[in-house]
Amino acid sequence: MTELESRLDHADLSSASTSSCSRRSLLGKGAAGLFSLLLIGATLAPIMQNWRTKRGIDTEGGARGDSFPFSYYPMFSQKRSRLYKVNYLVGLDAQGNRHLISHEFAGEGGFNQTRRQIDKLIRRNRAHTLCRHVAAQVAEAIEPPTTEIVTVQIVTGAYEFAKYFVGDKGPVSELVRASCPVSYRAALQQTPVGKP
Amino acid sequence: MRRLLGVLDQFWFAEAPAARLSVLRILIGAFAFYLVGSHYEKWTKIGHTSPVLFQPVGVVAILDQPLPPVVCQGLIIATLVANVPFILGWCYRFTGPLFAALLWWISSYRNSWSMIYHSENLVVLHVLILALAPAADALSLDSRRRGGGRARRDLAAGWQYGWPIRLICTVTVLCYLVTGVAKVMGPLGASWANGEALRSQVAADALRKEVLGDAGSPLFYVLYDEVWLFTILAVVTLVLELGAPVGLLNMRLARGWALSAFLMHWGVYFIMGIKFRYQLSGILFASFFDVERLVAWFTALRGWGEARLYPVGGWRLPKVYSRPFKP
C-alpha cells in the first residue's frame, strides 16, 4: 500500500512537472509566435507605400515614406528617360581646363549618400553654400590636378545614355548652378610673382 | 482549428540544433562587427554633417535635430564594444538585446542623412532576431560557464532553436518579395522585365559614378548594347524576388533560392560594381543551410593540423576540444 502510494505520489509529481514544463513551453511558443508575427507584419507593411504615394516618389526626388530597417525598397523601380540629368562638381584651372571633382570633397557619407546630399542642396537653392564648402576643401588638397583648380562649379548636366556609353562623353546640355573661386589659390593667381 | 495549429506548430517550431543558431550568431555578429568597424571613420564623420541634411528615419525619427557628434561617436564605440560579447555569447541575455538596440540605433542614424542604404536592413533585422532568441546556448562563453554538459548542449536540438532560424529565413525572403513588388507596382509595372529599365538603372548608376569620381564597372561598357542580356537578368531578378516565398515551403527549394540569389548579387557586383557586402559574403543566406557543420569541419581541420604538427607525443589539446562534432 505504502509502495503504491509512493508510486502514485511520484506519478503525480511527474505529471505536475510535465504539465508545468508544457505550460512553460506553450508560453514560450506563444511569445515567440507573437514576436514572429509582429516582425513579419513590420517587414510586409511597407508594401502599402507603393499604393499610398503617387509612384512612390516625392518632390524631394527621394522615396517618400521609406524607412529603416523596414523599407519598401523603391530603388531600381523608377522610370528613366533617355536623357539623364545629374548634378556634379567641376573644377577649372587657370588655363580654363575642366576637371571633374570627386564627391569626397562635398561630403563624408559615401558615394550615394553624398550624391543625394548634393541633389538636396541644389533643390533647396543652396548650391552656393555647397560650392563654397567644396572650394574650401579643394583649397586644402595636396595632389594635382586638384591643386591646380582655381574655380569650382556646381553643375547639372543632361546626358544621353546611348551616346555616352559608345564613347561620346560630353553632356547634351549643362547648367552651372553656382561658381566660386578657390580662395587662396585664386588670390595667388592674381598676385604678381615676386610680390607679397 | 486544432489540426491547423498542429501544422503551424510543426512548421514554425520545428526542432533545430542549438549549434546551428549559435553559428549564425557568430557569423552574423562577426559581419556586424566588420560593417561597423570598417565604416567607423565614415560613420563618425557623418555626425559632423550640416543639420540641413538631417532626415531622420526609423527609430531616429524621435529626434528633431542631430545628436552632438561626440554622442554619435560614443554610440558607435559602444556598439563595437557590445558586439564582442554578442559574438562570444557572454552574458547574452543582456548583451544580446543591448547590442541589437545599439546597432539598430546607429544604423538608423547613419541612414538619416538623405540616403537609406538598403543593404544594411537585413543585418539589423537578423541581429534583432538573434538577440531575442537563445542563440548563446551553445558555442559560447555562457555555455562554457555553465560547464559540464557543454558538448551535450552543443548537440541539443529543440523548438526554441528552430523558430529563430525560421524567422530569419522568412524575413529574408519577405524583404526580397517587397523589393520585387516595388518594381512591378512602380511606374514601369510589368514592363520592368523587358530589360530596358534595368539597363537604364545600371547606366544611370555608372554615369553618375563617373562624373562624381567613383569607380563604375568597366564590364557595363562591353554589355551596354546587349539588351537581351539585361532582359534575362531582369526576368531572373523578378522571378527570384517575387518567387522568394516559395523558398519557405521546402528546404531544397529554399536552398536553391538562396544559392540563386547569392549568385544574382555577384552578377550585380560584376555588372554594376555595387557591393552588397552582406549578400556577397553569403552570410545573409547562411540560415538556409546546416551551418553547424562548419564546427565539425573546423574541428576536423584542427585535428588534422594537430596530427601533422605533433605526430607522436608532444602537446595536444584536451580530448573534449578535439573531438569531431557529430550532429
Side-chain angles (χ1 to χ4, degrees), chain B residues 177-229:
Chain B
L177 173 71
V178 174
T179 312
V181 171
K183 288 190 177 81
V184 291
M185 290 307 299
L188 291 160
S191 69
W192 194 92
N194 72 16
E196 283 283 359
L198 180 62
R199 187 175 73 155
S200 68
Q201 298 292 343
V202 183
D205 184 73
L207 197 154
R208 62 197 177 207
K209 273 181 177 158
E210 284 193 13
V211 295
L212 281 163
D214 206 33
S217 167
L219 189 60
F220 182 64
Y221 280 88
V222 182
L223 301 177
Y224 182 78
D225 283 328
E226 315 299 328
V227 184
W228 61 271
L229 183 68

Side-chain angles (χ1 to χ4, degrees), chain A residues 65-81:
Chain A
D66 198 14
S67 193
F68 182 90
F70 303 109
S71 168
Y72 74 106
Y73 300 93
M75 69 283 189
F76 298 121
S77 59
Q78 291 167 29
K79 190 175 187 173
R80 295 195 185 281
S81 63

Side-chain angles (χ1 to χ4, degrees), chain A residues 25 28-29 32-33 35-36 39-40 43-44 46-47 50-51 55 60 66-80 84 86-89 100-103 108-113 115-118 120-121 124 126 159 161-162 164-166 169, chain B residues 9 12-13 42 45-46 49 52-53 55 57-58 104 107-108 110-111 113-118 120-121 124-125 128-129 132 159 163 167 170-171 174-175 178-179 181-183 185 187-188 192 200-201 203-204 206-212 214 220-221 224 272:
Chain A
S25 164
K29 283 185 178 180
F35 172 65
S36 304
L39 198 61
I40 289 169
T43 308
L44 283 175
I47 281 188
N50 293 299
W51 285 270
R55 297 185 171 185
E60 286 281 294
D66 198 14
S67 193
F68 182 90
F70 303 109
S71 168
Y72 74 106
Y73 300 93
M75 69 283 189
F76 298 121
S77 59
Q78 291 167 29
K79 190 175 187 173
R80 295 195 185 281
Y84 178 63
V86 58
N87 298 311
Y88 49 95
L89 320 166
L100 289 172
I101 300 175
S102 167
H103 63 93
E108 307 282 3
F111 173 74
N112 276 313
Q113 197 160 52
R115 175 179 64 80
R116 285 276 181 91
Q117 291 174 351
I118 292 170
K120 193 171 186 174
L121 288 170
R124 294 188 174 183
R126 297 177 78 109
Y159 289 84
F161 290 139
Y164 189 89
F165 289 101
V166 293
K169 300 236 169 184
Chain B
D9 183 63
W12 199 254
F13 296 106
K42 201 173 270 181
K45 279 182 178 173
I46 286 171
T49 309
V52 174
L53 298 165
Q55 197 178 324
V57 294
W104 191 335
S107 307
S108 303
R110 177 265 200 287
N111 283 296
W113 297 91
S114 310
M115 168 80 194
I116 294 176
Y117 285 89
H118 294 101
E120 290 165 15
N121 295 30
V124 174
L125 294 178
L128 176 70
I129 296 166
L132 298 176
W159 65 266
W163 74 265
L167 184 56
T170 306
V171 164
L174 290 182
C175 283
V178 174
T179 312
V181 171
K183 288 190 177 81
M185 290 307 299
L188 291 160
W192 194 92
S200 68
Q201 298 292 343
L207 197 154
R208 62 197 177 207
K209 273 181 177 158
E210 284 193 13
V211 295
L212 281 163
D214 206 33
F220 182 64
Y221 280 88
Y224 182 78
M272 294 180 69

Side-chain angles (χ1 to χ4, degrees), chain B residues 4-324:
Chain B
L4 180 70
L5 281 174
V7 171
L8 272 175
D9 183 63
Q10 274 186 349
F11 174 74
W12 199 254
F13 296 106
E15 290 194 347
R20 187 178 301 168
L21 189 61
S22 295
V23 171
L24 288 176
R25 183 198 82 235
I26 295 166
L27 289 175
I28 294 169
F31 182 84
F33 192 83
Y34 159 76
L35 178 74
V36 181
S38 63
H39 290 98
Y40 174 78
E41 205 184 335
K42 201 173 270 181
W43 290 18
T44 50
K45 279 182 178 173
I46 286 171
H48 297 270
T49 309
S50 163
V52 174
L53 298 165
F54 187 59
Q55 197 178 324
V57 294
V59 285
V60 176
I62 58 167
L63 297 179
D64 291 332
Q65 52 187 358
L67 293 170
V70 69
V71 176
C72 169
Q73 185 170 9
L75 287 169
I76 294 170
I77 293 170
T79 308
L80 283 169
V81 171
N83 201 156
V84 177
F86 179 89
I87 297 169
L88 298 175
W90 180 71
C91 295
Y92 193 75
R93 194 170 278 221
F94 305 103
T95 57
L98 175 70
F99 169 61
L102 283 167
L103 183 69
W104 191 335
W105 179 272
I106 64 155
S107 307
S108 303
Y109 195 78
R110 177 265 200 287
N111 283 296
S112 293
W113 297 91
S114 310
M115 168 80 194
I116 294 176
Y117 285 89
H118 294 101
S119 56
E120 290 165 15
N121 295 30
L122 278 169
V123 187
V124 174
L125 294 178
H126 289 177
V127 166
L128 176 70
I129 296 166
L130 287 168
L132 298 176
D137 278 6
L139 305 169
S140 66
L141 291 180
D142 281 354
S143 68
R144 278 188 74 165
R145 199 179 49 208
R146 283 185 215 114
R150 189 185 78 102
R152 228 181 10 255
R153 257 193 306 280
D154 287 0
L155 296 170
W159 65 266
Q160 66 270 40
Y161 308 120
W163 74 265
I165 299 171
R166 179 74 76 185
L167 184 56
I168 289 175
C169 293
T170 306
V171 164
T172 304
V173 300
L174 290 182
C175 283
Y176 278 85
L177 173 71
V178 174
T179 312
V181 171
K183 288 190 177 81
V184 291
M185 290 307 299
L188 291 160
S191 69
W192 194 92
N194 72 16
E196 283 283 359
L198 180 62
R199 187 175 73 155
S200 68
Q201 298 292 343
V202 183
D205 184 73
L207 197 154
R208 62 197 177 207
K209 273 181 177 158
E210 284 193 13
V211 295
L212 281 163
D214 206 33
S217 167
L219 189 60
F220 182 64
Y221 280 88
V222 182
L223 301 177
Y224 182 78
D225 283 328
E226 315 299 328
V227 184
W228 61 271
L229 183 68
F230 290 95
T231 307
I232 292 173
L233 287 173
V235 171
V236 169
T237 303
L238 276 186
V239 167
L240 282 176
E241 288 178 349
L242 295 174
V246 176
L248 291 175
L249 303 176
N250 170 296
M251 191 42 79
R252 192 172 284 184
L253 275 174
R255 287 174 181 171
W257 176 83
L259 194 65
S260 310
F262 173 67
L263 293 174
M264 177 183 80
H265 283 289
W266 274 98
V268 167
Y269 170 65
F270 283 123
I271 295 169
M272 294 180 69
I274 295 178
K275 289 179 203 153
F276 292 117
R277 289 183 172 84
Y278 193 37
Q279 287 82 347
L280 291 175
S281 70
I283 294 173
L284 177 120
F285 305 105
S287 55
F288 292 92
F289 298 89
D290 300 337
V291 280
E292 71 276 14
R293 287 187 183 175
L294 289 174
V295 182
W297 292 338
F298 179 71
T299 312
L301 199 69
R302 200 165 63 173
W304 179 77
E306 279 168 29
R308 279 176 65 95
L309 282 169
Y310 313 105
V312 184
W315 179 85
R316 279 170 189 259
L317 284 171
K319 243 183 175 177
V320 66
Y321 296 114
S322 55
R323 191 170 51 209

Side-chain angles (χ1 to χ4, degrees), chain A residues 23-153:
Chain A
R23 203 178 308 128
R24 273 179 60 193
S25 164
L26 208 62
L27 276 173
K29 283 185 178 180
L34 185 65
F35 172 65
S36 304
L37 272 176
L38 286 173
L39 198 61
I40 289 169
T43 308
L44 283 175
I47 281 188
M48 297 306 291
Q49 205 62 41
N50 293 299
W51 285 270
R52 237 177 257 147
T53 57
K54 191 188 174 190
R55 297 185 171 185
I57 305 295
D58 70 0
T59 49
E60 286 281 294
R64 183 193 279 168
D66 198 14
S67 193
F68 182 90
F70 303 109
S71 168
Y72 74 106
Y73 300 93
M75 69 283 189
F76 298 121
S77 59
Q78 291 167 29
K79 190 175 187 173
R80 295 195 185 281
S81 63
R82 283 169 183 242
L83 211 60
Y84 178 63
K85 284 187 179 174
V86 58
N87 298 311
Y88 49 95
L89 320 166
V90 172
L92 302 176
D93 63 20
Q95 285 74 43
N97 297 319
R98 283 165 57 100
H99 304 274
L100 289 172
I101 300 175
S102 167
H103 63 93
E104 287 169 356
F105 288 88
E108 307 282 3
F111 173 74
N112 276 313
Q113 197 160 52
T114 309
R115 175 179 64 80
R116 285 276 181 91
Q117 291 174 351
I118 292 170
D119 293 350
K120 193 171 186 174
L121 288 170
I122 291 173
R123 270 198 311 275
R124 294 188 174 183
N125 297 321
R126 297 177 78 109
H128 285 281
T129 313
L130 173 66
C131 192
R132 282 195 295 274
H133 172 76
V134 175
Q137 297 292 312
V138 167
E140 288 173 15
I142 49 167
E143 282 182 26
T146 317
T147 47
E148 291 155 17
I149 292 170
V150 293
T151 305
V152 169
Q153 290 180 334

